């Protein structure tokens, strides 16, 4: 489109966040692009500036600025540089007609934000391959968490994968290296948690302990088992989240006094072994769920370089845990 125009919010749209409404209408736009359009006032609701989180309702008019259309992208054109396309394709560890699995590196954000220019969502054009549709994110990982992520290659696959995640018909195994060694060496962590609410509670991007019936509190459950320890100074852990809360694994390990090595937010009072990388040692090792074709699908992601180096330094051997799911029979 080369001109500004308005689109009405219809009854079928329901009451929905502005950013999600835009993504539905213009699926070729990444989340980062959408947030920038809203933040800079290029997208307005009934003539007024709005926030990405504001909800739009039937009858409202949304100002749409000029931006590349889906038709331009469907011809195989891409805004990515050859370097970025090569980079994002190097992350692929599995691909078929329905989904793509990548091994996300530590430090790469999944979606854009105010201070995030480069992110996975903005690189997905490079993973079209021979498909008309741009792959779609169906779940997330923290910026500093590495490991396996699944992308849907078409709308039907996106619906199937999203349903699997929402119904908890998905099994995810994470590997972490923590400070000290948990006692007992295996068990379950459960409790209430919530986002910190501002200056009094601290960083809004952090979770804190909460109690039952506290406003906005959510219940979280994590199974854990120790796969190895280095003189009780550090331990190699397998973590299985039974709920999917923000920062759940990081929060839970710090809560039991065994914070994940390299975590800048969730800490404990134990000393970190020297000579190790400062990066977060949390890796989404494996995932198992129903494939859009109806069969069971599982995939394992190789360790990132900084965790491989730590394994060598502490004497851990990943070959001792060939099946990531075996730790949780």
């Amino acid at each position: 489109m080369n001109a500004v125009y308005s689109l009405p919010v219809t009854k079928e749209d329901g009451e929905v966040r502005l950013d999600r409404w835009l993504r539905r209408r213009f699926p070729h736009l990444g989340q980062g692009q959408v947030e920038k359009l809203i933040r800079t006032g290029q997208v307005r609701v009934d003539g007024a500036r709005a926030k990405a989180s504001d909800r739009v309702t039937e009858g409202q008019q949304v100002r749409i600025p000029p931006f590349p259309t889906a038709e331009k992208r469907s011809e195989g054109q891409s805004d990515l540089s050859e370097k970025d396309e090569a980079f994002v394709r190097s992350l692929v560890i599995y691909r078929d007609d329905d989904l793509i699995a990548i091994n996300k590196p530590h430090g790469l954000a999944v979606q854009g934000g105010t201070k995030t220019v480069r992110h996975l969502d903005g690189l997905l054009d490079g993973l079209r391959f021979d498909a008309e549709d741009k792959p779609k994110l169906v779940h997330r990982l923290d910026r500093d968490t590495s490991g396996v992520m699944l992308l849907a290659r078409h709308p039907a696959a996106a619906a199937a994968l999203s349903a699997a995640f929402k119904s908890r018909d998905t099994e995810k195994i994470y590997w972490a290296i923590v400070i000290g060694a948990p006692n007992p060496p295996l068990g379950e962590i459960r409790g209430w948690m919530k986002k910190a609410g501002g200056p009094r509670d601290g960083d809004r991007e952090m979770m804190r302990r909460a109690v039952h019936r506290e406003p906005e509190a959510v219940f979280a459950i994590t199974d854990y088992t120790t796969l190895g320890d280095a003189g009780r100074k550090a331990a190699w852990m397998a973590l299985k989240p039974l709920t999917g809360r923000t920062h759940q694994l990081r929060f839970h390990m710090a809560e039991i006094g065994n914070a994940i090595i390299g975590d800048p937010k969730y800490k404990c009072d134990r000393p970190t072994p020297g000579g190790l990388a400062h990066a977060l040692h949390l890796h989404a090792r494996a995932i198992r769920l129903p494939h859009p074709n109806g069969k069971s699908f599982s995939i394992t992601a190789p360790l990132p370089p900084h965790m491989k180096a730590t394994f060598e330094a502490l004497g851990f051997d990943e070959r001792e845990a060939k099946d990531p799911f075996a730790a949780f029979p």
Side-chain angles (χ1 to χ4, degrees):
M1 286 288 180
N2 295 316
V4 173
Y5 63 103
S6 294
L7 280 179
V9 180
T10 66
K11 182 178 181 180
E12 289 72 24
D13 291 324
E15 184 177 336
V16 65
R17 285 171 54 117
L18 176 58
D19 57 351
R20 291 176 184 169
W21 183 89
L22 282 167
R23 290 291 300 276
R24 289 178 186 174
R25 290 297 186 98
F26 306 99
H28 64 290
L29 292 178
Q31 180 67 20
Q33 291 175 290
V34 167
E35 292 182 358
K36 182 177 180 180
L37 290 168
I38 297 171
R39 186 173 64 251
T40 57
Q42 296 180 68
V43 170
R44 297 181 177 234
V45 179
D46 289 340
R49 280 181 173 265
K51 297 178 181 178
S53 59
D54 288 348
R55 293 185 174 273
V56 292
T57 57
E58 180 185 0
Q60 289 185 306
Q61 295 287 326
V62 180
R63 177 191 188 273
I64 306 298
F67 48 69
T69 64
E71 287 74 22
K72 177 182 177 182
R73 297 294 183 88
S74 68
E75 296 171 359
Q77 299 176 9
S78 171
D79 291 337
L80 294 184
S81 66
E82 291 184 5
K83 182 178 179 180
D84 279 343
E85 183 171 292
F87 165 72
V88 74
R89 291 193 175 195
S90 74
L91 307 181
V92 175
I93 53 177
Y94 175 86
R95 170 165 62 101
D96 62 27
D97 291 339
D98 298 308
L99 62 82
I100 294 172
I102 66 166
N103 188 9
K104 188 189 84 67
H106 159 83
L108 177 64
V110 173
Q111 293 182 311
T114 304
K115 298 181 181 180
T116 304
V117 177
R118 193 166 188 262
H119 48 85
L120 178 60
D121 196 34
L123 298 171
L124 294 184
D125 244 2
L127 297 180
R128 286 176 181 262
F129 296 102
D130 56 349
E132 180 178 342
D133 296 307
K134 182 176 76 172
K136 182 178 180 181
L137 298 166
V138 292
H139 64 121
R140 297 185 59 175
L141 287 177
D142 293 342
R143 177 200 296 265
D144 293 328
T145 302
S146 60
V148 64
M149 288 192 67
L150 300 183
L151 312 171
R153 299 197 69 191
H154 53 80
L161 292 171
S162 296
F165 280 99
K166 289 180 181 178
S167 66
R168 305 298 179 195
D169 196 11
T170 302
E171 190 174 9
K172 292 180 284 186
I173 305 297
Y174 291 74
W175 279 3
I177 303 178
V178 303
I179 303 171
N183 185 22
L186 74 163
E188 182 181 84
I189 308 168
R190 54 171 55 214
W192 294 89
M193 57 194 290
K194 67 175 290 184
K195 286 187 177 182
R200 286 187 178 180
D201 298 324
D203 187 350
R204 285 189 61 87
E205 296 302 315
M206 285 187 68
M207 304 300 288
R208 66 167 177 83
R209 191 182 308 174
V211 296
H212 181 44
R213 294 184 179 178
E214 187 173 349
E216 300 180 2
V218 293
F219 196 68
I221 307 173
T222 300
D223 285 344
Y224 73 89
T225 187
T226 305
L227 299 177
D229 73 79
R232 304 199 65 80
K233 294 181 179 180
W236 165 23
M237 308 298 301
L239 308 175
K240 181 180 179 180
L242 302 184
T243 52
R245 310 305 187 188
T246 300
H247 294 180
Q248 175 178 323
L249 302 180
R250 298 165 62 182
F251 174 78
H252 272 170
M253 295 314 297
E255 278 287 283
I256 65 170
N258 300 102
I260 298 173
I261 290 177
D263 196 326
K265 289 179 177 285
Y266 301 94
K267 302 178 182 293
C268 63
D269 57 4
R270 300 172 186 264
T272 302
L276 304 180
H278 295 295
L280 181 69
H281 285 60
L282 179 62
H283 179 67
R285 177 64 170 175
I287 193 166
R288 181 164 61 195
L289 80 174
H291 191 282
N293 65 16
K295 298 179 181 179
S296 179
F297 173 78
S298 63
I299 187 77
T300 299
L303 286 172
H306 72 280
M307 286 187 67
K308 278 190 174 183
T310 297
F311 265 55
E312 292 178 5
L314 298 179
F316 299 143
D317 186 349
E318 62 181 288
R319 293 173 298 182
E320 295 177 1
K322 293 181 180 179
D323 181 359
F325 302 98
F328 302 96

